Amino acid sequence: MLLSARLLDDVQNVNSFQWANRIEFTEGDSPVIYFQLLNKTAFGGPRYVPAFAATLMVTFDNVDSAKSFTRAAVQAFPSSSSVWGDSSIYKVTIIPSDYLRGTVSMRFLLTEGSVVTRGALSRALRVHPQSDI
């Protein structure tokens, strides 16, 4: 599997969102970053639904590597027997004290039992400094 992701913007629900090449916000904001996992080598569709109880960690890489950080992502719309969902869509919340500025890449670490898969999105976020306001 070749793990990747597609960013989502203007997310309202499992069926209402826009595809995005990059998410932009101002440092100090607290956006929720939504993305859909992809298996770039899958036949019959690119989305990837991890195994039950999988964990997904996201590392946000700044130009200053000492200020990179990792956060757990959660399924935004988990499927259940009574509710339609999409277990390939995840979200992670940025908090105001997180140091992000400039162009930020995202690295993924997906753990499904004993199988660990890595992926990345280059230039996923564009974070404007507060001084540009």
Side-chain angles (χ1 to χ4, degrees), residues 2-103:
L2 181 59
L3 183 66
S4 186
R6 182 172 16 195
L7 294 168
L8 308 177
D9 196 17
D10 193 25
V11 177
Q12 304 300 313
N13 60 50
V14 70
N15 293 315
S16 180
F17 56 82
Q18 301 295 318
W19 305 117
N21 292 323
R22 178 177 297 125
I23 303 295
E24 296 194 32
F25 57 95
T26 301
E27 69 178 325
D29 288 351
S30 186
V32 177
I33 308 298
Y34 288 88
F35 54 93
Q36 183 176 45
L37 293 181
L38 303 176
N39 179 355
K40 290 291 197 170
T41 61
F43 294 101
R47 76 184 181 113
Y48 182 72
V49 177
F52 180 75
T55 60
L56 180 64
M57 302 302 290
V58 180
T59 299
F60 294 89
D61 288 325
N62 284 285
V63 173
D64 181 350
S65 61
K67 295 183 177 168
S68 295
F69 62 92
T70 301
R71 180 91 23 89
V74 297
Q75 289 181 337
F77 308 107
S79 300
S80 71
S81 60
S82 62
V83 178
W84 288 97
D86 186 338
S87 297
S88 69
I89 298 176
Y90 279 76
K91 66 180 180 178
V92 63
T93 302
I94 304 299
I95 59 175
S97 61
D98 288 337
Y99 180 85
L100 290 176
R101 183 183 277 186
T103 303

Side-chain angles (χ1 to χ4, degrees), residues 91-131:
K91 66 180 180 178
V92 63
T93 302
I94 304 299
I95 59 175
S97 61
D98 288 337
Y99 180 85
L100 290 176
R101 183 183 277 186
T103 303
V104 178
S105 295
M106 297 168 62
R107 286 185 291 126
F108 306 101
L109 180 69
L110 177 64
T111 305
E112 299 174 277
S114 63
V115 177
V116 175
T117 309
R118 299 177 196 287
L121 276 180
S122 296
R123 301 180 303 273
L125 308 178
R126 173 68 180 116
V127 185
H128 301 281
Q130 287 183 341
S131 60

